[in-house]
Amino acid sequence: MKIYQVGGAVRDRLLGRAVHDVDYVVVGGTADEMLQKGFRPVGSHFPVFLHPTTNAEYALARTERKTAPGHQGFTFHADPSVTLEQDLQRRDLTINAMAQAVNQVGEPVGEIVDPYGGQADLRAGVLRHVSNAFLEDPLRILRVARFAARFPDFHIAPETLVLMGRMVHARELETLSKERIWQELARAMEETDPLRFIETLNQCNALSNVLPASFEKQWHQEAAQERIRQTMQLIDRVSPRLNQRMACLLRFISSVEIQEWAKTSKWPNEVAEYCQIVADFEVVHTKLIAKDML
């Protein structure tokens, strides 16, 4: 049995960023062996275990096969014969498909295992899919857009954008629950450059799946887009809270439309109400300016 840190922990350490969440993959092990070592099983979709003292998550190396629409429509195969390279191949981006062996206390040791060019893409600042298995999970459209917001100096590989557009065209995003879409939107709005999330969705024609219908029209108006950008920059200097960023984003949408969309999309009430207040103020402000110009 060999244990590796995988994904974001390896990526962020290479970038010199703080590591917050650490995921481990176990190669050559079985569920029975994990239980014998005191690990506690969690989850029903695939074998994940909690460390007996640290509560960190350890997953058995696995492969997967698409069996139904959506990001949960997979069957998983995990046994000691699954290799680390096979496990990493199912991941979304090359920069998230690296691993490093750990010692007995979970600390990384040894060389980086990088079968799909993640280090090269980190150096080049590229967000690139690992394989065509990327097409099987529509959630990855939103995840890639969110990574674009987290790493504003990175660009999305053209071939990856093509796959994202194909998935949107095939209406794959419609298989995601409204709650899951909101979770990704909320997380993206709290990233370094949240408007890159919006730009990426616009590039692959996914805006209408995530935000109210009229937002896309407003986003394509240069003056409105510029005012959103300026206001977002001002807010970030003061207090970059989620409800403020969302309100800035939707300031040109009617409060009625915001209310309807927020209700069907399962947004938290406090976020929806704040956005409605700002949208109503925008209407009043615009009328006052028009009156002064008469």
Side-chain angles (χ1 to χ4, degrees):
M1 179 189 297
K2 292 186 178 180
I3 300 176
Y4 300 84
Q5 282 189 9
V6 294
V10 180
R11 177 200 67 223
D12 288 344
R13 198 157 47 244
L14 288 171
L15 288 173
R17 297 166 67 101
V19 175
H20 298 292
D21 299 318
V22 181
D23 294 318
Y24 298 88
V25 65
V26 180
V27 179
T30 67
D32 286 342
E33 287 179 292
M34 298 297 286
L35 295 175
Q36 290 170 9
K37 292 178 179 294
F39 285 79
R40 304 187 307 278
V42 295
S44 58
H45 295 295
F46 47 82
V48 177
F49 302 84
L50 298 181
H51 191 279
T53 56
T54 66
N55 286 324
E57 289 191 356
Y58 288 67
L60 295 183
R62 64 190 186 270
T63 58
E64 60 189 20
R65 182 169 58 88
K66 185 75 169 176
T67 57
H71 79 289
Q72 293 182 333
F74 295 90
T75 56
F76 297 92
H77 172 70
D79 69 34
S81 69
V82 177
T83 66
L84 177 62
E85 288 73 17
Q86 287 176 310
D87 183 272
L88 294 175
Q89 188 179 37
R90 69 178 178 80
R91 297 175 185 271
D92 52 5
L93 298 172
T94 60
I95 65 170
N96 297 329
M98 296 179 285
Q100 189 171 16
V102 300
N103 58 23
Q104 292 183 343
V105 294
E107 298 171 334
V109 293
E111 296 181 356
I112 304 295
V113 181
D114 179 19
Y116 304 108
Q119 292 180 89
D121 281 342
L122 274 183
R123 290 190 293 269
V126 179
L127 302 174
R128 189 193 316 276
H129 65 284
V130 177
S131 71
N132 280 342
F134 181 92
L135 285 165
E136 297 177 348
D137 187 353
L139 185 61
R140 290 176 171 178
I141 298 170
L142 304 182
R143 279 179 54 82
V144 172
R146 180 160 57 81
F147 278 115
R150 180 180 301 180
F151 302 120
D153 294 332
F154 281 52
H155 69 275
I156 302 172
E159 60 271 26
T160 301
L161 269 176
V162 168
L163 294 189
M164 292 165 67
R166 282 174 56 185
M167 295 161 76
V168 173
H169 182 72
R171 305 178 71 170
E172 288 284 343
L173 279 176
E174 296 176 18
T175 66
L176 299 178
S177 69
K178 297 295 186 181
E179 293 90 343
R180 196 68 182 87
I181 291 177
W182 162 250
Q183 289 171 11
E184 289 298 316
L185 172 60
R187 293 177 69 182
M189 285 298 102
E190 294 179 324
E191 296 287 5
T192 304
D193 186 355
L195 293 185
R196 285 208 71 202
F197 179 78
I198 305 302
E199 291 169 348
T200 301
L201 295 184
N202 181 55
Q203 284 180 285
C204 58
N205 299 314
L207 278 178
S208 60
N209 294 100
V210 179
L211 291 164
S214 61
F215 176 82
E216 187 171 9
K217 180 179 178 181
Q218 293 290 340
W219 184 252
H220 290 160
Q221 295 180 13
E222 186 174 340
Q225 185 178 140
E226 182 58 29
R227 289 177 65 189
I228 290 173
R229 292 183 184 280
Q230 291 176 353
T231 307
M232 192 81 81
Q233 291 172 358
L234 179 62
I235 287 174
D236 284 350
R237 296 193 196 105
V238 181
S239 175
R241 294 168 56 192
L242 173 61
N243 60 352
Q244 292 173 323
R245 283 182 164 182
M246 286 298 301
C248 173
L249 195 66
L250 302 179
R251 58 187 292 189
F252 300 115
I253 308 300
S254 75
S255 61
V256 173
E257 186 176 4
I258 292 173
Q259 181 182 38
E260 293 175 350
W261 183 266
K263 184 177 180 179
T264 59
S265 299
K266 313 297 184 182
W267 292 8
N269 289 336
E270 61 270 21
V271 173
E273 291 169 0
Y274 193 92
C275 290
Q276 289 175 256
I277 291 171
V278 172
D280 284 337
F281 176 81
E282 185 68 35
V283 172
V284 173
H285 183 246
T286 300
K287 288 181 178 178
L288 289 175
I289 291 177
K291 183 178 179 180
D292 289 342
M293 294 178 65
L294 293 177

